């Protein structure tokens, strides 16, 4: 989440409760989950609300858990920096390009 909007969504698959990508768990494009648009809207609203609790925070990696039956999103962790997502770096580089743009704007008078 950067500057009020979600830059990248990625599902993480694991056989256990730990889903960290650097521990050889599998990334999955968010679109492959086939979730209703309403769930993505709920995720966006929840992330925006969480960011609003920290005035001045402009960028964070937010880990979301979807409840099994209801698909209700729950924040399980927020980090100052999201995962190193190779799927983005070697594709459009959305996350880090936007971070550089935000930093540049912050330095401008």
């Amino acid at each position: 989440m950067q500057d009020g909007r979600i830059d990248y969504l990625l599902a993480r698959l694991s056989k256990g409760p730990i889903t960290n990508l650097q521990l050889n768990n599998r990334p999955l494009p968010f679109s492959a989950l086939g979730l209703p648009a309403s769930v993505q809207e709920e995720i966006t609203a929840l992330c925006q609300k969480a960011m609003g609790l920290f005035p001045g925070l402009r960028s964070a990696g937010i880990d979301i858990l979807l409840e099994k039956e209801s698909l209700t999103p729950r924040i399980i962790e927020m980090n100052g920096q999201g995962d190193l997502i190779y799927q983005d770096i070697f594709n459009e580089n959305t996350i880090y390009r936007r971070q550089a743009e935000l930093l540049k704007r912050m330095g401008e008078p």
Side-chain angles (χ1 to χ4, degrees):
M1 185 94 189
Q2 294 189 85
D3 228 15
R5 75 175 203 216
I6 293 178
D7 278 334
Y8 204 88
L9 290 167
L10 180 74
R12 301 184 305 189
L13 304 176
S14 173
K15 292 182 180 179
I18 299 173
T19 63
N20 299 64
L21 296 175
Q22 75 271 20
L23 298 176
N24 295 324
N25 292 302
R26 293 186 323 123
L28 181 71
F30 184 78
S31 59
L33 295 176
L35 297 171
S38 61
V39 172
Q40 186 166 343
E41 291 167 9
E42 286 182 64
I43 290 170
T44 299
L46 180 63
C47 291
Q48 288 172 334
K49 182 177 179 182
M51 293 290 287
L53 295 173
F54 300 93
L57 182 64
R58 300 187 64 185
S59 179
I62 303 176
D63 294 353
I64 302 289
L65 171 83
L66 296 176
E67 289 185 7
K68 190 173 185 176
E69 300 293 325
S70 68
L71 300 178
T72 300
R74 305 284 183 200
I75 293 176
I76 58 172
E77 181 179 31
M78 285 181 68
N79 301 285
Q81 176 68 41
D83 285 342
L84 182 62
I85 300 175
Y86 294 105
Q87 293 77 10
D88 181 45
I89 292 172
F90 295 111
N91 190 12
E92 296 179 27
N93 198 21
T94 306
I95 300 167
Y96 303 107
R97 184 172 29 83
R98 283 229 339 121
Q99 282 181 354
E101 291 168 4
L102 289 172
L103 289 171
K104 183 179 176 185
R105 280 190 302 199
M106 289 171 60
E108 294 174 356

